[in-house]
Amino acid sequence: MTTVADIRASLDTWYPPELAETWDRPGLVCGDPADSVSTVACALEATDAVVEAAIDAGAQMLVVHHPLLLRGVSSVAADTPKGRIVHRLIRSGIALMSAHTNADAAVGGVNDVLAELLGIRVTGPLERAAVGDNPLEGIGRVGQLDESMTLRDLTARVAERLPATVWGVRAAGDTQRTVRTVALCSGAGDSLLEDAARSGADVYLTSDLRHHPADEHLRAGGPALIDTAHWASESPWCRSVADRISAAHDVTTTVLDVRTDPWTIGIRREDI
């Protein structure tokens, strides 16, 4: 019999909690570690629609990337958005666990999945982890493309290989510039713009870039930028963690077919 504790132990081995940023709150959110598990559902985050899908899938455990209770709360009453989810999970007998920045930093985690998907051979982290002895652990990655290409062609590859969103993929820099060395950070990564510049990369790929930091970065001579939707850069990890769980335990895993990207409309002027 596989238990919640067994799945938690595997997740903590693959994505060590000590690799998490100090502000982060990954781990088991709700559920009894002693409860048995036969089906594990995986998604990027626990939304109402995701929980509904997990119930429909007959799951006893939901594994996500984004922590439900990342920021402090004083109540999980059932008439609050997060409380409603916690109550629904408990009433349905579903444990909830997240692996967040620890999964970003770990070897084989979110950033490595993204790099592999885009044809980038990783040589090291963008920002090395403050703990541990593995030089490959840390936030972000730096690596080499399988072939040199223009910034335009790399942007097209990213758009083709990542899940489609209304946000799409945008880039900043000389579109015909040849790029080979790539720095990347899944999710919001504008706090690592200076690290990307120091890495010697030709291009930095991340999500949620803001106007002023991006503009100042480029004017300072930093690498070209590729900006993706946050959900698109991280969601490929869901299949990876599902496969790891099913390989390690006698359980069924499912990646929930629920898009949690909050953006629903993207309109260009020429589309009007």
Side-chain angles (χ1 to χ4, degrees):
M1 180 185 71
T2 300
T3 65
V4 170
D6 294 329
I7 304 295
R8 176 170 64 176
S10 290
L11 291 168
D12 285 347
T13 298
W14 300 329
Y15 317 114
E18 59 267 23
L19 291 178
E21 298 293 299
T22 56
W23 49 264
D24 200 9
R25 296 295 182 270
L28 191 64
V29 177
C30 65
D32 187 337
D35 283 352
S36 62
V37 176
S38 61
T39 299
V40 179
C42 301
L44 194 65
E45 51 224 337
T47 65
D48 289 292
V50 165
V51 172
E52 181 71 27
I55 294 170
D56 291 342
Q60 295 81 42
M61 190 166 185
L62 175 59
V63 174
V64 298
H65 183 47
H66 294 152
L68 176 65
L69 305 179
L70 177 59
R71 294 177 176 83
V73 295
S74 58
S75 170
V76 287
D79 59 353
T80 63
K82 292 184 178 181
R84 178 174 65 238
I85 289 173
V86 170
H87 279 261
R88 188 111 194 259
L89 287 166
I90 293 174
R91 287 169 178 164
S92 302
I94 301 175
L96 173 64
M97 182 165 178
S98 67
H100 193 211
T101 54
N102 50 322
D104 290 328
V107 173
V110 183
N111 282 291
D112 285 322
V113 171
L114 178 61
E116 182 178 4
L117 182 64
L118 298 178
I120 299 168
R121 181 180 60 83
V122 170
T123 56
L126 183 55
E127 180 183 74
R128 185 170 174 179
V131 299
D133 299 322
N134 191 333
L136 297 179
E137 291 177 336
I139 298 298
R141 294 292 185 266
V142 179
Q144 301 290 313
L145 285 165
D146 48 16
E147 60 178 328
S148 297
M149 61 184 67
T150 65
L151 175 61
R152 177 181 292 277
D153 287 342
L154 177 57
T155 306
R157 174 186 284 195
V158 174
E160 177 184 16
R161 297 188 181 183
L162 290 188
T165 63
V166 299
W167 179 290
V169 178
R170 57 186 182 178
D174 181 355
T175 60
Q176 296 305 309
R177 175 182 180 179
T178 299
V179 297
R180 185 67 185 270
T181 302
V182 180
L184 64 86
C185 178
S186 61
D190 65 3
S191 64
L192 297 177
L193 283 168
E194 291 185 3
D195 297 87
R198 287 193 295 267
S199 73
D202 302 311
V203 57
Y204 177 42
L205 183 151
T206 190
S207 305
D208 299 343
L209 287 174
R210 295 172 294 158
H211 175 94
H212 291 297
D215 177 59
E216 292 169 5
H217 163 87
L218 293 170
R219 287 193 282 116
L225 299 172
I226 295 180
D227 188 26
T228 74
H230 191 122
W231 174 83
S233 71
E234 294 182 330
S235 59
W237 172 78
C238 297
R239 169 52 57 193
S240 173
V241 70
D243 289 346
R244 294 183 86 167
I245 291 170
S246 61
H249 299 279
D250 185 20
V251 297
T252 298
T253 58
T254 180
V255 177
L256 299 177
D257 186 22
V258 179
R259 297 176 62 86
T260 57
D261 181 26
W263 308 107
T264 56
I265 299 176
I267 300 176
R268 298 174 301 174
R269 185 179 181 88
E270 54 266 35
D271 296 329
I272 300 174

